[in-house]
Amino acid sequence: TDNSYLNHSVNPNVTILDDHLATSSVTLNGHPYQNGTQISEEGGYSLQGYGVDLAGNETTEQVWFFLDMTPPVITVSGVEDGVTYNTPVQAAIEVIEDNVGEISITLNETPYESGTIISVDDDYELVVNVTDRAGNEAQVTTTFTVDTTAPDIPVIVEPQDGAVIDGQETLVTGSTESNALVRIVVGDYQNTTVATAEGLFSFANVP
């Protein structure tokens, strides 16, 4: 088919019919072409058939096509998969493809324009889909979190305020924001832990 983009090799055949055909030729990009020869190198091609009959009547038919077997390349910068950011971010999307067909960029299933500032605290999924004119596809998915709000002050559950501790060491438990980094300081003693998804934390053997 004329003006087509293909993502596979082809073996064209050109047929020239005339009861009184005198001479004919088939060329590919201006060079003689043998019918059925495989064409597999990427690039643009012009296939032309020419015929002339004994009465001198001439006809020429030309078909242009492009072979592209390489998927598009998608690059996302400004955000990385699995990372949590404590400041607003901007996701920049770059597509490397000479024959772009369709591009879809969504953020949490909503259309997103490359470079737009993302400032609302939330979990995000950025999905980029690209299809070139030959039908080659590429997809990149990046998940990240924006959390610009400081966690609430941790609540100590155990020991209770004013409790008298018998012994040299004790267990300290409490609650705070989910997955928050918690630091405890008692005199010269310091330690850190990460709260659970439910926001619970504990420190054993606190002097």
Side-chain angles (χ1 to χ4, degrees), residues 33-175:
Y33 173 76
Q34 179 66 43
N35 271 343
T37 301
Q38 186 177 77
I39 305 171
S40 57
E41 184 176 346
E42 293 188 318
Y45 293 91
S46 175
L47 182 65
Q48 180 174 288
Y50 168 79
V52 57
D53 63 18
L54 295 174
N57 300 304
E58 296 179 313
T59 186
T60 300
E61 188 72 27
Q62 178 175 290
V63 172
W64 183 91
F65 59 95
F66 195 97
L67 297 188
D68 179 2
M69 280 83 83
T70 304
V73 176
I74 303 170
T75 301
V76 176
S77 59
V79 293
E80 296 182 23
D81 194 51
V83 175
T84 297
Y85 299 92
N86 60 9
T87 59
V89 296
Q90 292 174 280
I93 294 92
E94 179 184 9
V95 175
I96 301 175
E97 171 59 51
D98 292 332
N99 305 303
V100 174
E102 297 181 359
I103 298 178
S104 169
I105 305 174
T106 60
L107 185 67
N108 288 357
E109 301 183 347
T110 300
Y112 174 78
E113 183 176 348
S114 177
T116 301
I117 296 176
I118 306 167
S119 58
V120 177
D121 286 6
D122 203 351
D123 296 323
Y124 291 97
E125 182 179 65
L126 177 68
V127 181
V128 184
N129 286 289
V130 180
T131 304
D132 65 22
R133 298 179 69 176
N136 301 300
E137 298 178 341
Q139 181 186 84
V140 170
T141 300
T142 306
T143 59
F144 60 95
T145 299
V146 174
D147 183 359
T148 62
T149 304
D152 295 333
I153 297 175
V155 175
I156 303 297
V157 176
E158 183 183 352
Q160 296 182 357
D161 188 27
V164 177
I165 306 301
D166 294 328
Q168 299 296 313
E169 298 177 339
T170 189
L171 173 67
V172 177
T173 65
S175 62

Side-chain angles (χ1 to χ4, degrees), residues 5 19 21 27 29 47 76 95 97 127 148 163 186 198 200:
Y5 287 79
D19 291 339
L21 186 66
T27 60
N29 289 352
L47 182 65
V76 176
V95 175
E97 171 59 51
V127 181
T148 62
V186 180
E198 293 75 27
L200 304 178

